Amino acid sequence: MAGDEKSSAFGDQAGSVELLWGGRERPSRGPKPALSLERITRTAIGLADTGGLGAVSMQRVAAELDFTKMSLYRYVPGKAELVALMIDTAMGEPPEPAGAAAGDWRGALRDWAQRLAAVFAQHPWLLSALVGPRVMGPNELGWTERALAALAGTGLTGGEQLDAVLVVSGHVRAIAQVSASMGVGGAPAKEPEAALSAALNELLVGRSERFPALSAALAGAAGGETREQAWEFGLERILDGLEAYAGRG
Amino acid sequence: MAGDEKSSAFGDQAGSVELLWGGRERPSRGPKPALSLERITRTAIGLADTGGLGAVSMQRVAAELDFTKMSLYRYVPGKAELVALMIDTAMGEPPEPAGAAAGDWRGALRDWAQRLAAVFAQHPWLLSALVGPRVMGPNELGWTERALAALAGTGLTGGEQLDAVLVVSGHVRAIAQVSASMGVGGAPAKEPEAALSAALNELLVGRSERFPALSAALAGAAGGETREQAWEFGLERILDGLEAYAGRG
DNA sequence: CAACAACTGTATCCGCCGGACACAGATCTG
DNA sequence: CAGATCTGTGTCCGGCGGATACAGTTGTTG
């Protein structure tokens, strides 16, 4: 334990924490930087939006900016930190709460979930970027803050509020994942549920006796599926459950 | 459209479909294979269990088996297909339904979710492996089958049953993700919720005025959080919502 | 049995990846 | 101006997934 290293729960992620949260001031000597974190991050996001996270390499980002890849390392300690920046930038400023002031927490939370789903739809690579140990950035934390604010008047305890946000955001990701599973590369399918059904049906050809419940469910869902149904059904069930609990307590 | 290529919704994933679903028979001529899909897959899973998905490379899998990496390509078309096999093998045979015969769909679904969560806890890399376009294997489909079977008597339509399973499995993944976010490499933290609270608290030091609802929620959750609370709270809310809907319809 | 076809495992090679390191030129401070 | 400092670059490395060509082994067929 030598030196003045700040003791922290973020082991080898100190770089990300500093980059995401710390405003590092420009040094006074030396040439002015020709690039900026902002430009680099935006460029990387652009690549990921069109070609998925796999299309983001230091080489490609640098080439897009007409620089050498090594020049990027003057701004970012490594690729992991760049991805962390991409995440927080792509999440963007959390939206203004809708209906929270009116005490309509259910509407506010539904609205929050929809806006979050829109973010995932716009940046499908976010799903894969979010897995694994990471540091939350200010925007990501801001999203959580907004959802918690909506739940403030429900009578739920602090822990329950956190848990509720986790369930809702879990549903958002689950739906986004289904969409992403059906698409190719960075572009999700337009009608995730229909595509999912089609893929399932294809797998089930000649195997219906092995998966009877699945076959029955798919047969029953035959034509009437809207692409929005899974989203709405799940979200409303979750909100129902939360409302019942809040009303009961 | 030349040749006898089977028209299918699985574009470049035909290899995975064949590997996961098709029983390819041994050719009669040539030397007997010294390896097996089974051995290769198990070895890869072992590497992933201890070092995460990033620790799985063709080189390392082959080295573990004392073979050259190129020999693996005699069994598997590419790494993507190997990962698909790892997923379906790690999922394992879906569990026997518990309480389904007794008509206790809620208990059966809760049991199903718990067993699924156990799988994710044992193979944390599954989370990252499941994102993106993929083909479902027989075991994965079997898990879905079991959940649907539990919901058969609820009166939900086929589509609603599928949606319900999606919500529950989404929650399972959400909880698994929180655990994985806190751990290092392949090993998740033992007390995910406590670690999450700690990390959040650390980020919030000196920033509580910027995230008031979050600070309040964390303060309210201070000591009393059990590591199982987020899991149970979310799952029971979802089941409540489903039960209310089923009872109403 | 001999010849051949089919199959397995290997060795070599390629392009791409993230990143360490040393260095030249630009810039500010004294 | 002299020295310190910072930026962008060129070079190099190990590791990755994978294509290809080839030698050795095996079953089939005349």
PDB file of all heavy atoms in Angstrom, chain C residues 9-21:
ATOM      1  P    DG C   9      -8.483 -36.311 -35.162  1.00  0.00           P
ATOM      2  OP1  DG C   9      -8.464 -37.144 -33.941  1.00  0.00           O
ATOM      3  OP2  DG C   9      -9.525 -35.288 -35.356  1.00  0.00           O
ATOM      4  O5'  DG C   9      -7.065 -35.598 -35.294  1.00  0.00           O
ATOM      5  C5'  DG C   9      -5.893 -36.381 -35.124  1.00  0.00           C
ATOM      6  C4'  DG C   9      -4.701 -35.657 -35.718  1.00  0.00           C
ATOM      7  O4'  DG C   9      -4.964 -35.394 -37.115  1.00  0.00           O
ATOM      8  C3'  DG C   9      -4.379 -34.305 -35.077  1.00  0.00           C
ATOM      9  O3'  DG C   9      -3.049 -34.333 -34.582  1.00  0.00           O
ATOM     10  C2'  DG C   9      -4.581 -33.295 -36.205  1.00  0.00           C
ATOM     11  C1'  DG C   9      -4.369 -34.157 -37.443  1.00  0.00           C
ATOM     12  N9   DG C   9      -5.023 -33.658 -38.647  1.00  0.00           N
ATOM     13  C8   DG C   9      -6.359 -33.373 -38.813  1.00  0.00           C
ATOM     14  N7   DG C   9      -6.655 -32.949 -40.013  1.00  0.00           N
ATOM     15  C5   DG C   9      -5.441 -32.940 -40.679  1.00  0.00           C
ATOM     16  C6   DG C   9      -5.130 -32.574 -42.021  1.00  0.00           C
ATOM     17  O6   DG C   9      -5.901 -32.165 -42.905  1.00  0.00           O
ATOM     18  N1   DG C   9      -3.767 -32.719 -42.287  1.00  0.00           N
ATOM     19  C2   DG C   9      -2.831 -33.169 -41.384  1.00  0.00           C
ATOM     20  N2   DG C   9      -1.577 -33.250 -41.807  1.00  0.00           N
ATOM     21  N3   DG C   9      -3.111 -33.516 -40.130  1.00  0.00           N
ATOM     22  C4   DG C   9      -4.420 -33.379 -39.855  1.00  0.00           C
ATOM     23  P    DT C  10      -2.399 -33.015 -33.929  1.00  0.00           P
ATOM     24  OP1  DT C  10      -1.417 -33.450 -32.921  1.00  0.00           O
ATOM     25  OP2  DT C  10      -3.465 -32.083 -33.569  1.00  0.00           O
ATOM     26  O5'  DT C  10      -1.587 -32.437 -35.168  1.00  0.00           O
ATOM     27  C5'  DT C  10      -0.726 -33.302 -35.871  1.00  0.00           C
ATOM     28  C4'  DT C  10       0.080 -32.525 -36.904  1.00  0.00           C
ATOM     29  O4'  DT C  10      -0.772 -32.201 -38.045  1.00  0.00           O
ATOM     30  C3'  DT C  10       0.627 -31.192 -36.393  1.00  0.00           C
ATOM     31  O3'  DT C  10       1.999 -31.141 -36.716  1.00  0.00           O
ATOM     32  C2'  DT C  10      -0.196 -30.137 -37.137  1.00  0.00           C
ATOM     33  C1'  DT C  10      -0.570 -30.856 -38.410  1.00  0.00           C
ATOM     34  N1   DT C  10      -1.840 -30.397 -39.045  1.00  0.00           N
ATOM     35  C2   DT C  10      -1.813 -29.927 -40.336  1.00  0.00           C
ATOM     36  O2   DT C  10      -0.802 -29.858 -40.999  1.00  0.00           O
ATOM     37  N3   DT C  10      -3.041 -29.534 -40.827  1.00  0.00           N
ATOM     38  C4   DT C  10      -4.247 -29.572 -40.167  1.00  0.00           C
ATOM     39  O4   DT C  10      -5.290 -29.198 -40.704  1.00  0.00           O
ATOM     40  C5   DT C  10      -4.202 -30.068 -38.819  1.00  0.00           C
ATOM     41  C7   DT C  10      -5.457 -30.151 -38.009  1.00  0.00           C
ATOM     42  C6   DT C  10      -3.007 -30.464 -38.324  1.00  0.00           C
ATOM     43  P    DA C  11       2.965 -30.028 -35.997  1.00  0.00           P
ATOM     44  OP1  DA C  11       4.020 -30.758 -35.261  1.00  0.00           O
ATOM     45  OP2  DA C  11       2.120 -29.047 -35.303  1.00  0.00           O
ATOM     46  O5'  DA C  11       3.617 -29.306 -37.256  1.00  0.00           O
ATOM     47  C5'  DA C  11       3.456 -29.850 -38.562  1.00  0.00           C
ATOM     48  C4'  DA C  11       3.837 -28.796 -39.596  1.00  0.00           C
ATOM     49  O4'  DA C  11       2.633 -28.371 -40.312  1.00  0.00           O
ATOM     50  C3'  DA C  11       4.454 -27.518 -39.035  1.00  0.00           C
ATOM     51  O3'  DA C  11       5.460 -27.067 -39.920  1.00  0.00           O
ATOM     52  C2'  DA C  11       3.269 -26.567 -38.928  1.00  0.00           C
ATOM     53  C1'  DA C  11       2.401 -26.985 -40.107  1.00  0.00           C
ATOM     54  N9   DA C  11       0.958 -26.828 -39.873  1.00  0.00           N
ATOM     55  C8   DA C  11       0.278 -27.054 -38.702  1.00  0.00           C
ATOM     56  N7   DA C  11      -1.020 -26.849 -38.787  1.00  0.00           N
ATOM     57  C5   DA C  11      -1.199 -26.472 -40.107  1.00  0.00           C
ATOM     58  C6   DA C  11      -2.357 -26.114 -40.839  1.00  0.00           C
ATOM     59  N6   DA C  11      -3.579 -26.081 -40.319  1.00  0.00           N
ATOM     60  N1   DA C  11      -2.197 -25.790 -42.146  1.00  0.00           N
ATOM     61  C2   DA C  11      -0.969 -25.815 -42.671  1.00  0.00           C
ATOM     62  N3   DA C  11       0.197 -26.137 -42.091  1.00  0.00           N
ATOM     63  C4   DA C  11       0.000 -26.454 -40.797  1.00  0.00           C
ATOM     64  P    DT C  12       6.278 -25.717 -39.652  1.00  0.00           P
ATOM     65  OP1  DT C  12       7.629 -25.965 -40.155  1.00  0.00           O
ATOM     66  OP2  DT C  12       6.076 -25.263 -38.257  1.00  0.00           O
ATOM     67  O5'  DT C  12       5.546 -24.680 -40.636  1.00  0.00           O
ATOM     68  C5'  DT C  12       5.241 -25.100 -41.964  1.00  0.00           C
ATOM     69  C4'  DT C  12       4.435 -24.035 -42.699  1.00  0.00           C
ATOM     70  O4'  DT C  12       3.026 -24.138 -42.345  1.00  0.00           O
ATOM     71  C3'  DT C  12       4.844 -22.590 -42.394  1.00  0.00           C
ATOM     72  O3'  DT C  12       5.047 -21.904 -43.613  1.00  0.00           O
ATOM     73  C2'  DT C  12       3.662 -22.046 -41.612  1.00  0.00           C
ATOM     74  C1'  DT C  12       2.511 -22.832 -42.217  1.00  0.00           C
ATOM     75  N1   DT C  12       1.295 -22.906 -41.368  1.00  0.00           N
ATOM     76  C2   DT C  12       0.065 -22.599 -41.932  1.00  0.00           C
ATOM     77  O2   DT C  12      -0.081 -22.283 -43.081  1.00  0.00           O
ATOM     78  N3   DT C  12      -0.995 -22.702 -41.060  1.00  0.00           N
ATOM     79  C4   DT C  12      -0.955 -23.055 -39.726  1.00  0.00           C
ATOM     80  O4   DT C  12      -1.974 -23.113 -39.059  1.00  0.00           O
ATOM     81  C5   DT C  12       0.363 -23.343 -39.201  1.00  0.00           C
ATOM     82  C7   DT C  12       0.525 -23.730 -37.762  1.00  0.00           C
ATOM     83  C6   DT C  12       1.409 -23.265 -40.037  1.00  0.00           C
ATOM     84  P    DC C  13       5.740 -20.444 -43.639  1.00  0.00           P
ATOM     85  OP1  DC C  13       6.611 -20.423 -44.816  1.00  0.00           O
ATOM     86  OP2  DC C  13       6.262 -20.124 -42.288  1.00  0.00           O
ATOM     87  O5'  DC C  13       4.492 -19.474 -43.920  1.00  0.00           O
ATOM     88  C5'  DC C  13       3.719 -19.653 -45.109  1.00  0.00           C
ATOM     89  C4'  DC C  13       2.397 -18.920 -44.981  1.00  0.00           C
ATOM     90  O4'  DC C  13       1.593 -19.550 -43.948  1.00  0.00           O
ATOM     91  C3'  DC C  13       2.525 -17.446 -44.580  1.00  0.00           C
ATOM     92  O3'  DC C  13       2.218 -16.614 -45.699  1.00  0.00           O
ATOM     93  C2'  DC C  13       1.518 -17.264 -43.445  1.00  0.00           C
ATOM     94  C1'  DC C  13       0.741 -18.568 -43.418  1.00  0.00           C
ATOM     95  N1   DC C  13       0.357 -18.978 -42.033  1.00  0.00           N
ATOM     96  C2   DC C  13      -0.986 -19.024 -41.676  1.00  0.00           C
ATOM     97  O2   DC C  13      -1.835 -18.709 -42.517  1.00  0.00           O
ATOM     98  N3   DC C  13      -1.327 -19.389 -40.419  1.00  0.00           N
ATOM     99  C4   DC C  13      -0.372 -19.716 -39.539  1.00  0.00           C
ATOM    100  N4   DC C  13      -0.751 -20.076 -38.323  1.00  0.00           N
ATOM    101  C5   DC C  13       1.008 -19.679 -39.882  1.00  0.00           C
ATOM    102  C6   DC C  13       1.330 -19.311 -41.128  1.00  0.00           C
ATOM    103  P    DC C  14       2.509 -15.023 -45.585  1.00  0.00           P
ATOM    104  OP1  DC C  14       2.919 -14.562 -46.920  1.00  0.00           O
ATOM    105  OP2  DC C  14       3.351 -14.734 -44.396  1.00  0.00           O
ATOM    106  O5'  DC C  14       1.054 -14.458 -45.283  1.00  0.00           O
ATOM    107  C5'  DC C  14      -0.058 -14.899 -46.080  1.00  0.00           C
ATOM    108  C4'  DC C  14      -1.341 -14.392 -45.452  1.00  0.00           C
ATOM    109  O4'  DC C  14      -1.683 -15.223 -44.324  1.00  0.00           O
ATOM    110  C3'  DC C  14      -1.213 -12.964 -44.920  1.00  0.00           C
ATOM    111  O3'  DC C  14      -1.954 -12.076 -45.756  1.00  0.00           O
ATOM    112  C2'  DC C  14      -1.781 -13.011 -43.496  1.00  0.00           C
ATOM    113  C1'  DC C  14      -2.341 -14.422 -43.356  1.00  0.00           C
ATOM    114  N1   DC C  14      -2.067 -15.002 -42.008  1.00  0.00           N
ATOM    115  C2   DC C  14      -3.129 -15.274 -41.147  1.00  0.00           C
ATOM    116  O2   DC C  14      -4.275 -15.024 -41.532  1.00  0.00           O
ATOM    117  N3   DC C  14      -2.868 -15.799 -39.926  1.00  0.00           N
ATOM    118  C4   DC C  14      -1.609 -16.052 -39.564  1.00  0.00           C
ATOM    119  N4   DC C  14      -1.400 -16.575 -38.359  1.00  0.00           N
ATOM    120  C5   DC C  14      -0.514 -15.789 -40.430  1.00  0.00           C
ATOM    121  C6   DC C  14      -0.776 -15.268 -41.639  1.00  0.00           C
ATOM    122  P    DG C  15      -1.685 -10.500 -45.629  1.00  0.00           P
ATOM    123  OP1  DG C  15      -1.775  -9.930 -46.972  1.00  0.00           O
ATOM    124  OP2  DG C  15      -0.462 -10.288 -44.797  1.00  0.00           O
ATOM    125  O5'  DG C  15      -2.946 -10.014 -44.778  1.00  0.00           O
ATOM    126  C5'  DG C  15      -4.261 -10.469 -45.125  1.00  0.00           C
ATOM    127  C4'  DG C  15      -5.209 -10.144 -43.994  1.00  0.00           C
ATOM    128  O4'  DG C  15      -4.945 -11.021 -42.869  1.00  0.00           O
ATOM    129  C3'  DG C  15      -5.084  -8.710 -43.467  1.00  0.00           C
ATOM    130  O3'  DG C  15      -6.377  -8.175 -43.285  1.00  0.00           O
ATOM    131  C2'  DG C  15      -4.311  -8.874 -42.155  1.00  0.00           C
ATOM    132  C1'  DG C  15      -4.752 -10.253 -41.697  1.00  0.00           C
ATOM    133  N9   DG C  15      -3.760 -10.940 -40.871  1.00  0.00           N
ATOM    134  C8   DG C  15      -2.404 -11.027 -41.082  1.00  0.00           C
ATOM    135  N7   DG C  15      -1.774 -11.709 -40.164  1.00  0.00           N
ATOM    136  C5   DG C  15      -2.768 -12.106 -39.292  1.00  0.00           C
ATOM    137  C6   DG C  15      -2.700 -12.879 -38.097  1.00  0.00           C
ATOM    138  O6   DG C  15      -1.704 -13.377 -37.568  1.00  0.00           O
ATOM    139  N1   DG C  15      -3.955 -13.040 -37.517  1.00  0.00           N
ATOM    140  C2   DG C  15      -5.114 -12.529 -38.022  1.00  0.00           C
ATOM    141  N2   DG C  15      -6.216 -12.792 -37.332  1.00  0.00           N
ATOM    142  N3   DG C  15      -5.214 -11.811 -39.136  1.00  0.00           N
ATOM    143  C4   DG C  15      -3.999 -11.642 -39.709  1.00  0.00           C
ATOM    144  P    DC C  16      -6.554  -6.652 -42.843  1.00  0.00           P
ATOM    145  OP1  DC C  16      -7.750  -6.171 -43.571  1.00  0.00           O
ATOM    146  OP2  DC C  16      -5.255  -5.974 -42.970  1.00  0.00           O
ATOM    147  O5'  DC C  16      -6.926  -6.712 -41.301  1.00  0.00           O
ATOM    148  C5'  DC C  16      -8.079  -7.428 -40.873  1.00  0.00           C
ATOM    149  C4'  DC C  16      -8.041  -7.576 -39.371  1.00  0.00           C
ATOM    150  O4'  DC C  16      -6.942  -8.441 -39.008  1.00  0.00           O
ATOM    151  C3'  DC C  16      -7.804  -6.254 -38.625  1.00  0.00           C
ATOM    152  O3'  DC C  16      -8.974  -5.913 -37.887  1.00  0.00           O
ATOM    153  C2'  DC C  16      -6.596  -6.522 -37.728  1.00  0.00           C
ATOM    154  C1'  DC C  16      -6.480  -8.043 -37.738  1.00  0.00           C
ATOM    155  N1   DC C  16      -5.092  -8.555 -37.567  1.00  0.00           N
ATOM    156  C2   DC C  16      -4.780  -9.339 -36.455  1.00  0.00           C
ATOM    157  O2   DC C  16      -5.664  -9.598 -35.641  1.00  0.00           O
ATOM    158  N3   DC C  16      -3.514  -9.783 -36.310  1.00  0.00           N
ATOM    159  C4   DC C  16      -2.582  -9.477 -37.217  1.00  0.00           C
ATOM    160  N4   DC C  16      -1.346  -9.962 -37.032  1.00  0.00           N
ATOM    161  C5   DC C  16      -2.887  -8.672 -38.362  1.00  0.00           C
ATOM    162  C6   DC C  16      -4.143  -8.228 -38.497  1.00  0.00           C
ATOM    163  P    DC C  17      -9.063  -4.549 -37.099  1.00  0.00           P
ATOM    164  OP1  DC C  17     -10.493  -4.160 -37.068  1.00  0.00           O
ATOM    165  OP2  DC C  17      -8.046  -3.637 -37.658  1.00  0.00           O
ATOM    166  O5'  DC C  17      -8.625  -4.936 -35.617  1.00  0.00           O
ATOM    167  C5'  DC C  17      -9.370  -5.926 -34.922  1.00  0.00           C
ATOM    168  C4'  DC C  17      -8.630  -6.355 -33.679  1.00  0.00           C
ATOM    169  O4'  DC C  17      -7.441  -7.081 -34.046  1.00  0.00           O
ATOM    170  C3'  DC C  17      -8.105  -5.193 -32.845  1.00  0.00           C
ATOM    171  O3'  DC C  17      -9.116  -4.773 -31.963  1.00  0.00           O
ATOM    172  C2'  DC C  17      -6.935  -5.838 -32.091  1.00  0.00           C
ATOM    173  C1'  DC C  17      -6.533  -7.028 -32.963  1.00  0.00           C
ATOM    174  N1   DC C  17      -5.167  -6.950 -33.538  1.00  0.00           N
ATOM    175  C2   DC C  17      -4.079  -7.458 -32.829  1.00  0.00           C
ATOM    176  O2   DC C  17      -4.269  -7.949 -31.712  1.00  0.00           O
ATOM    177  N3   DC C  17      -2.843  -7.388 -33.368  1.00  0.00           N
ATOM    178  C4   DC C  17      -2.688  -6.838 -34.584  1.00  0.00           C
ATOM    179  N4   DC C  17      -1.458  -6.799 -35.097  1.00  0.00           N
ATOM    180  C5   DC C  17      -3.787  -6.324 -35.317  1.00  0.00           C
ATOM    181  C6   DC C  17      -5.005  -6.387 -34.765  1.00  0.00           C
ATOM    182  P    DG C  18      -8.984  -3.390 -31.251  1.00  0.00           P
ATOM    183  OP1  DG C  18     -10.312  -3.069 -30.707  1.00  0.00           O
ATOM    184  OP2  DG C  18      -8.322  -2.479 -32.194  1.00  0.00           O
ATOM    185  O5'  DG C  18      -7.980  -3.696 -30.052  1.00  0.00           O
ATOM    186  C5'  DG C  18      -8.373  -4.581 -29.020  1.00  0.00           C
ATOM    187  C4'  DG C  18      -7.258  -4.732 -28.023  1.00  0.00           C
ATOM    188  O4'  DG C  18      -6.086  -5.221 -28.692  1.00  0.00           O
ATOM    189  C3'  DG C  18      -6.841  -3.432 -27.341  1.00  0.00           C
ATOM    190  O3'  DG C  18      -6.555  -3.689 -25.979  1.00  0.00           O
ATOM    191  C2'  DG C  18      -5.602  -3.014 -28.130  1.00  0.00           C
ATOM    192  C1'  DG C  18      -4.988  -4.356 -28.488  1.00  0.00           C
ATOM    193  N9   DG C  18      -4.201  -4.309 -29.721  1.00  0.00           N
ATOM    194  C8   DG C  18      -4.589  -3.771 -30.919  1.00  0.00           C
ATOM    195  N7   DG C  18      -3.683  -3.872 -31.848  1.00  0.00           N
ATOM    196  C5   DG C  18      -2.627  -4.510 -31.230  1.00  0.00           C
ATOM    197  C6   DG C  18      -1.360  -4.885 -31.750  1.00  0.00           C
ATOM    198  O6   DG C  18      -0.909  -4.717 -32.894  1.00  0.00           O
ATOM    199  N1   DG C  18      -0.574  -5.520 -30.793  1.00  0.00           N
ATOM    200  C2   DG C  18      -0.968  -5.761 -29.485  1.00  0.00           C
ATOM    201  N2   DG C  18      -0.087  -6.377 -28.709  1.00  0.00           N
ATOM    202  N3   DG C  18      -2.156  -5.409 -28.993  1.00  0.00           N
ATOM    203  C4   DG C  18      -2.932  -4.795 -29.918  1.00  0.00           C
ATOM    204  P    DG C  19      -6.251  -2.456 -25.003  1.00  0.00           P
ATOM    205  OP1  DG C  19      -6.540  -2.870 -23.631  1.00  0.00           O
ATOM    206  OP2  DG C  19      -6.907  -1.272 -25.565  1.00  0.00           O
ATOM    207  O5'  DG C  19      -4.669  -2.290 -25.118  1.00  0.00           O
ATOM    208  C5'  DG C  19      -3.838  -3.339 -24.649  1.00  0.00           C
ATOM    209  C4'  DG C  19      -2.412  -3.116 -25.069  1.00  0.00           C
ATOM    210  O4'  DG C  19      -2.289  -3.119 -26.496  1.00  0.00           O
ATOM    211  C3'  DG C  19      -1.775  -1.790 -24.608  1.00  0.00           C
ATOM    212  O3'  DG C  19      -0.676  -2.106 -23.802  1.00  0.00           O
ATOM    213  C2'  DG C  19      -1.352  -1.126 -25.898  1.00  0.00           C
ATOM    214  C1'  DG C  19      -1.166  -2.341 -26.795  1.00  0.00           C
ATOM    215  N9   DG C  19      -1.112  -2.062 -28.228  1.00  0.00           N
ATOM    216  C8   DG C  19      -2.081  -1.485 -29.000  1.00  0.00           C
ATOM    217  N7   DG C  19      -1.738  -1.367 -30.260  1.00  0.00           N
ATOM    218  C5   DG C  19      -0.462  -1.898 -30.312  1.00  0.00           C
ATOM    219  C6   DG C  19       0.428  -2.051 -31.392  1.00  0.00           C
ATOM    220  O6   DG C  19       0.264  -1.728 -32.565  1.00  0.00           O
ATOM    221  N1   DG C  19       1.620  -2.635 -31.000  1.00  0.00           N
ATOM    222  C2   DG C  19       1.916  -3.036 -29.726  1.00  0.00           C
ATOM    223  N2   DG C  19       3.106  -3.583 -29.531  1.00  0.00           N
ATOM    224  N3   DG C  19       1.093  -2.903 -28.711  1.00  0.00           N
ATOM    225  C4   DG C  19      -0.068  -2.327 -29.069  1.00  0.00           C
ATOM    226  P    DA C  20      -0.155  -1.090 -22.705  1.00  0.00           P
ATOM    227  OP1  DA C  20      -0.642  -1.613 -21.424  1.00  0.00           O
ATOM    228  OP2  DA C  20      -0.471   0.292 -23.106  1.00  0.00           O
ATOM    229  O5'  DA C  20       1.427  -1.277 -22.769  1.00  0.00           O
ATOM    230  C5'  DA C  20       1.968  -2.581 -22.954  1.00  0.00           C
ATOM    231  C4'  DA C  20       3.404  -2.497 -23.436  1.00  0.00           C
ATOM    232  O4'  DA C  20       3.429  -2.371 -24.879  1.00  0.00           O
ATOM    233  C3'  DA C  20       4.195  -1.315 -22.882  1.00  0.00           C
ATOM    234  O3'  DA C  20       5.519  -1.745 -22.546  1.00  0.00           O
ATOM    235  C2'  DA C  20       4.188  -0.308 -24.033  1.00  0.00           C
ATOM    236  C1'  DA C  20       4.165  -1.215 -25.248  1.00  0.00           C
ATOM    237  N9   DA C  20       3.477  -0.634 -26.409  1.00  0.00           N
ATOM    238  C8   DA C  20       2.204  -0.121 -26.425  1.00  0.00           C
ATOM    239  N7   DA C  20       1.824   0.319 -27.605  1.00  0.00           N
ATOM    240  C5   DA C  20       2.916   0.077 -28.425  1.00  0.00           C
ATOM    241  C6   DA C  20       3.149   0.316 -29.793  1.00  0.00           C
ATOM    242  N6   DA C  20       2.253   0.873 -30.604  1.00  0.00           N
ATOM    243  N1   DA C  20       4.347  -0.050 -30.299  1.00  0.00           N
ATOM    244  C2   DA C  20       5.256  -0.611 -29.471  1.00  0.00           C
ATOM    245  N3   DA C  20       5.137  -0.892 -28.173  1.00  0.00           N
ATOM    246  C4   DA C  20       3.934  -0.516 -27.703  1.00  0.00           C
ATOM    247  P    DC C  21       6.519  -0.735 -21.751  1.00  0.00           P
ATOM    248  OP1  DC C  21       7.399  -1.623 -20.974  1.00  0.00           O
ATOM    249  OP2  DC C  21       5.735   0.327 -21.084  1.00  0.00           O
ATOM    250  O5'  DC C  21       7.372  -0.057 -22.920  1.00  0.00           O
ATOM    251  C5'  DC C  21       7.873  -0.856 -23.967  1.00  0.00           C
ATOM    252  C4'  DC C  21       8.500   0.017 -25.041  1.00  0.00           C
ATOM    253  O4'  DC C  21       7.505   0.390 -26.010  1.00  0.00           O
ATOM    254  C3'  DC C  21       9.114   1.321 -24.517  1.00  0.00           C
ATOM    255  O3'  DC C  21      10.488   1.362 -24.848  1.00  0.00           O
ATOM    256  C2'  DC C  21       8.325   2.415 -25.233  1.00  0.00           C
ATOM    257  C1'  DC C  21       7.793   1.689 -26.460  1.00  0.00           C
ATOM    258  N1   DC C  21       6.536   2.255 -27.022  1.00  0.00           N
ATOM    259  C2   DC C  21       6.444   2.486 -28.405  1.00  0.00           C
ATOM    260  O2   DC C  21       7.412   2.214 -29.116  1.00  0.00           O
ATOM    261  N3   DC C  21       5.298   2.998 -28.913  1.00  0.00           N
ATOM    262  C4   DC C  21       4.270   3.273 -28.099  1.00  0.00           C
ATOM    263  N4   DC C  21       3.170   3.763 -28.641  1.00  0.00           N
ATOM    264  C5   DC C  21       4.345   3.047 -26.691  1.00  0.00           C
ATOM    265  C6   DC C  21       5.484   2.548 -26.197  1.00  0.00           C
TER     266       DC C  21
END
